[in-house]
Amino acid sequence: MTQIYNFSAGPAVLPKEVLQQAAAEMLDWHGSGMSVMEMSHRGAEFMSILETALADLRELLAVPDNYKILFMQGGALAENAIIPMNLVGRKPQPATIDFVHTGSWTAKSINEAKKYANVRIAAAAPDGRFHAVPKRAGWNLHRDAAYLHVCTNETIDGVEYHFNPDAGDVPIVADMSSHILSRVIDVAKYGVIFAGAQKNIGPAGLTIVIVREDLLGHALPCCPSAFDWKIVAEHGSMYNTPPTYAIYIAGLVFQWLKRQGGVAAMEQRNIAKASLLYDYLDASAFYRNEIAKDSRSRMNVPFFLRDESLNEAFLVGAKAHGLLQLKGHKSVGGMRASLYNAMPIEGVQALVDYLKEFEQKYG
Amino acid sequence: MTQIYNFSAGPAVLPKEVLQQAAAEMLDWHGSGMSVMEMSHRGAEFMSILETALADLRELLAVPDNYKILFMQGGALAENAIIPMNLVGRKPQPATIDFVHTGSWTAKSINEAKKYANVRIAAAAPDGRFHAVPKRAGWNLHRDAAYLHVCTNETIDGVEYHFNPDAGDVPIVADMSSHILSRVIDVAKYGVIFAGAQKNIGPAGLTIVIVREDLLGHALPCCPSAFDWKIVAEHGSMYNTPPTYAIYIAGLVFQWLKRQGGVAAMEQRNIAKASLLYDYLDASAFYRNEIAKDSRSRMNVPFFLRDESLNEAFLVGAKAHGLLQLKGHKSVGGMRASLYNAMPIEGVQALVDYLKEFEQKYG
């Protein structure tokens, strides 16, 4: 079989070692005679898997003691509702939420938040296109906001924060779905960090929420118990049956990350991978990336062929070279290469080699 | 390794053939070069997995054309809130929901429904213990109820409906989490059928909802978009990223069920398995099951040793015989054997052999 490199934006590539271990343990986890899928979530075997995964994630992200880590369900789209249902109750109703609008994922979050609060756009790209994170100096924040919502990596638009947002005493809620664990972050700068697992962690169906303890306990009466962070925290993410197999795979990914040297080492590799691709795109007149250099995502690189009539030929050739899932999101068009942790630099080099070959043929 | 039989109430035993296939395909699904976990949910490969799973489930349960099948997240506990959020809007607010109260799972559903509507208990076991399904003739139903909620198999209490509930024009919502696909049902008798997958279908993290089309489109304003059945249906269960790997495993289980002869054949085996165990318990003075004969669950069999001081010795001996996860739920005590579809009759025979051996030793 040709060597495959999978550039999907999510669900996305996983480390081969993790998949090999999962396959080997599928019918019998550690001599238990059971697959992880078959274990009672309250049994000693699964509890050890859950606790190890929680401890490893806490270590990898250096999560302070006054933060809870919750394993939930529903992805970032469900969390877009769950967040206001848990946080707007801290303020007189109707409360207000500030947003920095950076692209497609912020747009979805804004639309959902409007069900539960008034929404203010504290900052947005002026031309309505999402090619840069608005400069901090221009953010029009309000001290009475229930919270400030940011999406620190826009998967579709390819825009990433390369600075720590701050909002004074107003808690910051950050959607880190597509770059969590790809770079060192200071968790203490945030009130809530959330992420769907299926981009940079593991299988779809697991949502990670990291929440400062003083923000628990304010759920609206309409918030389902299964999504009330305080209840989830009090039950150690076991109020409802958690997505046990997804947690197991995420735990294997966390162990793999530790073997790779942790998040700081991973960040250096991600810088090298992203630079390799952006440098080639910038030097070429055949391709282009439209994102401001200070806001370019290391994880998701949208790019365009100057001659878009060649798009189909480009994708067909890429697939023949084992370079999969490079088609851009339908709302943006063109191409997109996602370079998550599990993408080795050899995959990025193979992509650059193909970009060059295609340019030489058609340029 | 000793032959293991896993009697967990959920997550629970899966067919060995399914686990073997999942292990074999873990790194490369059908020559795609990808694990199912790594596939974009919108790619051709996963779409074929999803569509096959939906079609197979529709065939297995003979779901009529005017019902949608939705793949969701959050389990039955989340669905306990999602259901009223989707259905009470059909009536003037505050609406009323009727419940037939049969045990622990109905109790959870009742508590959650109270957030969104007035709750009326249409029927309940008179002595406050849940040893029988209340007879239909005694149900005090209300014609103006938004719906009637029933739990057709109580996993914890071991009580199962062996008749079709009916409520005239009021739609019936049935929690079938722990016996879906174990027996033939007439879907047309229900407005909504829901089930967490982790008991009789597949991995935790997938929730199945089967809903009559005329019940869509009534979500309350506070209902998160990701849990609005109409939105989920319109997007073919892809409004948010679905739990792709759990759907794949469920699909393998559906194919296994078809190879076994479908639900009718499975029902005959489940009758044989349950009879084997109940007949032994009834003939013994050493053990007892407290459920009325016409309401006994074929899936979940709680039983007690007359001398409960032997419980620990019983469980230790069971484990040594490869009979796992027999401890009863903490709210009921004693023992519980769950006999889902994937439990072969050999497992039930091994349990009965052990019951006999233990009785001979200590009786």
Side-chain angles (χ1 to χ4, degrees):
Chain A
M1 194 171 70
T2 317
Q3 171 67 54
I4 294 293
Y5 294 110
N6 172 5
F7 294 93
S8 173
V13 60
L14 287 167
K16 188 174 258 193
E17 288 173 41
V18 164
L19 295 173
Q20 286 167 334
Q21 185 172 348
E25 296 178 344
M26 179 62 84
L27 279 92
D28 181 14
W29 182 84
H30 295 198
S32 66
M34 294 183 282
S35 175
V36 174
M37 280 184 227
E38 300 178 299
M39 292 174 182
S40 166
H41 55 300
R42 301 197 185 279
E45 296 89 351
F46 181 73
M47 285 303 298
S48 78
I49 290 171
L50 178 75
E51 283 161 14
T52 303
L54 283 168
D56 285 342
L57 181 57
R58 190 172 285 277
E59 180 186 332
L60 283 163
L61 288 177
V63 178
D65 288 346
N66 63 324
Y67 285 73
K68 297 286 189 197
I69 301 178
L70 312 179
F71 288 156
M72 297 183 63
Q73 297 182 51
L77 272 183
E79 210 59 40
N80 280 338
I82 295 169
I83 290 162
M85 283 198 284
N86 275 277
L87 290 183
V88 301
R90 297 170 63 246
K91 296 284 178 181
Q93 302 301 301
T96 299
I97 308 168
D98 276 349
F99 275 82
V100 176
H101 192 352
T102 48
S104 305
W105 276 94
T106 325
K108 290 176 203 253
S109 301
I110 289 169
N111 281 339
E112 198 70 7
K114 284 178 180 169
K115 293 185 174 193
Y116 310 98
N118 295 320
V119 163
R120 286 189 297 219
I121 306 300
D127 63 352
R129 302 180 70 195
F130 298 108
H131 290 171
V133 176
K135 296 275 183 293
R136 172 64 184 85
W139 295 8
N140 179 21
L141 300 176
H142 296 76
R143 296 184 55 166
D144 60 338
Y147 60 91
L148 168 68
H149 182 116
V150 296
C151 176
T152 48
N153 189 71
E154 289 276 2
T155 323
I156 291 175
D157 305 278
V159 166
E160 183 173 9
Y161 283 63
H162 293 291
F163 61 93
N164 274 317
D166 78 274
D169 292 337
V170 174
I172 298 177
V173 174
D175 180 352
M176 296 195 181
S177 292
S178 49
H179 75 156
I180 193 167
L181 292 165
S182 74
R183 60 190 299 156
V184 175
I185 52 164
D186 183 354
V187 173
K189 303 271 189 203
Y190 301 89
V192 179
I193 291 168
F194 71 105
Q198 71 271 15
K199 295 171 188 297
N200 213 14
I201 294 176
L206 171 64
T207 316
I208 304 229
V209 177
I210 302 171
V211 53
R212 212 172 61 208
E213 284 171 352
D214 64 287
L215 299 176
L216 299 172
H218 304 281
L220 296 179
C222 70
C223 181
S225 303
F227 302 124
D228 178 334
W229 291 336
K230 182 163 190 276
I231 292 175
V232 177
E234 283 170 355
H235 289 78
S237 297
M238 305 273 272
Y239 176 72
N240 54 356
T241 309
T244 52
Y245 198 76
I247 290 171
Y248 158 70
I249 296 290
L252 296 184
V253 171
F254 300 153
Q255 289 168 23
W256 174 82
L257 279 169
K258 288 171 73 176
R259 292 197 299 275
Q260 303 303 306
V263 174
M266 200 49 70
E267 180 169 8
Q268 293 309 310
R269 286 177 220 190
N270 287 326
I271 291 171
K273 282 153 52 184
S275 300
L276 181 59
L277 180 54
Y278 282 117
D279 287 351
Y280 182 79
L281 294 171
D282 286 345
S284 160
F286 189 81
Y287 305 100
R288 73 178 195 284
N289 167 277
E290 297 181 338
I291 308 304
K293 288 197 176 178
D294 66 359
S295 299
R296 284 174 166 180
S297 170
R298 295 173 188 157
M299 294 289 104
N300 310 100
V301 184
F303 63 93
F304 299 87
L305 280 64
R306 295 268 172 207
D307 178 358
E308 298 223 295
S309 73
L310 294 172
N311 282 357
E312 189 55 30
F314 179 89
L315 288 167
V316 169
K319 193 166 181 184
H321 284 68
L323 307 171
L324 305 185
Q325 312 212 56
L326 281 164
K327 190 172 181 180
H329 190 273
K330 61 179 187 283
S331 66
V332 171
M335 308 296 154
R336 177 174 49 168
S338 293
L339 314 180
Y340 297 125
N341 283 342
M343 172 60 65
I345 194 156
E346 292 78 11
V348 186
Q349 186 62 56
L351 173 59
V352 168
D353 291 346
Y354 173 67
L355 290 171
K356 203 177 297 185
E357 180 187 319
F358 191 83
E359 178 172 356
Q360 283 165 355
K361 189 162 169 188
Y362 292 98
Chain B
M1 195 171 70
T2 319
Q3 171 67 54
I4 294 293
Y5 294 110
N6 174 6
F7 294 93
S8 173
V13 61
L14 288 168
K16 188 174 259 192
E17 288 173 42
V18 165
L19 295 173
Q20 285 167 334
Q21 184 172 348
E25 296 178 344
M26 179 64 83
L27 279 92
D28 181 15
W29 182 83
H30 295 198
S32 66
M34 295 182 282
S35 174
V36 173
M37 282 184 225
E38 301 179 298
M39 291 174 183
S40 167
H41 54 300
R42 301 197 185 279
E45 295 90 351
F46 181 73
M47 285 303 298
S48 78
I49 291 171
L50 178 76
E51 283 161 15
T52 303
L54 283 168
D56 284 342
L57 180 57
R58 189 172 287 275
E59 179 185 334
L60 283 163
L61 288 177
V63 178
D65 288 344
N66 63 325
Y67 284 73
K68 297 287 188 195
I69 301 178
L70 312 180
F71 287 156
M72 297 184 63
Q73 298 183 50
L77 272 183
E79 211 60 39
N80 280 339
I82 295 169
I83 290 162
M85 283 198 284
N86 274 279
L87 289 183
V88 300
R90 297 171 60 247
K91 296 284 178 180
Q93 301 301 301
T96 299
I97 307 168
D98 276 350
F99 276 81
V100 176
H101 192 352
T102 47
S104 304
W105 276 95
T106 325
K108 289 176 202 251
S109 302
I110 288 168
N111 282 339
E112 198 70 9
K114 285 178 178 167
K115 293 185 175 195
Y116 311 98
N118 296 320
V119 164
R120 285 189 297 218
I121 307 299
D127 62 353
R129 301 181 71 194
F130 299 107
H131 290 172
V133 176
K135 297 274 183 295
R136 173 64 185 86
W139 295 8
N140 180 21
L141 299 176
H142 296 75
R143 296 185 55 169
D144 59 340
Y147 60 92
L148 168 67
H149 182 117
V150 296
C151 176
T152 47
N153 189 70
E154 288 276 1
T155 323
I156 291 175
D157 305 278
V159 165
E160 183 173 9
Y161 282 64
H162 293 290
F163 61 92
N164 275 317
D166 79 274
D169 293 336
V170 174
I172 297 178
V173 173
D175 180 352
M176 297 195 180
S177 293
S178 49
H179 75 156
I180 192 167
L181 291 165
S182 74
R183 60 189 300 156
V184 175
I185 51 164
D186 182 354
V187 174
K189 303 271 190 202
Y190 300 90
V192 178
I193 291 168
F194 71 105
Q198 71 271 15
K199 296 169 189 299
N200 214 14
I201 295 177
L206 171 64
T207 316
I208 305 233
V209 177
I210 302 171
V211 53
R212 212 174 61 209
E213 284 171 352
D214 63 287
L215 299 176
L216 300 172
H218 304 280
L220 296 179
C222 70
C223 182
S225 303
F227 302 124
D228 178 334
W229 292 336
K230 181 162 190 277
I231 291 175
V232 177
E234 284 171 352
H235 289 77
S237 296
M238 304 272 272
Y239 176 72
N240 55 356
T241 309
T244 51
Y245 198 75
I247 291 170
Y248 158 69
I249 296 289
L252 296 184
V253 171
F254 300 153
Q255 289 168 22
W256 174 82
L257 280 169
K258 288 172 72 176
R259 292 196 301 274
Q260 304 302 306
V263 173
M266 199 50 69
E267 179 168 9
Q268 292 311 310
R269 286 177 221 190
N270 287 326
I271 291 170
K273 282 152 53 183
S275 300
L276 182 60
L277 180 54
Y278 281 116
D279 287 351
Y280 182 80
L281 294 171
D282 286 345
S284 160
F286 189 81
Y287 304 100
R288 73 176 194 285
N289 167 276
E290 297 181 336
I291 307 304
K293 289 197 178 181
D294 67 359
S295 300
R296 285 175 166 178
S297 171
R298 295 174 188 157
M299 294 288 106
N300 310 99
V301 184
F303 63 93
F304 298 88
L305 281 64
R306 295 269 171 207
D307 177 358
E308 296 224 298
S309 73
L310 295 171
N311 281 358
E312 189 55 30
F314 178 88
L315 288 168
V316 168
K319 193 167 180 183
H321 285 67
L323 307 171
L324 304 184
Q325 312 211 56
L326 280 164
K327 189 172 181 179
H329 190 273
K330 60 179 187 282
S331 66
V332 171
M335 307 298 153
R336 176 174 48 168
S338 293
L339 315 180
Y340 297 123
N341 283 342
M343 172 62 65
I345 194 154
E346 292 79 9
V348 186
Q349 187 61 56
L351 174 60
V352 168
D353 291 346
Y354 173 67
L355 289 170
K356 202 176 299 186
E357 180 187 319
F358 191 83
E359 178 171 355
Q360 284 166 352
K361 189 163 169 188
Y362 292 97

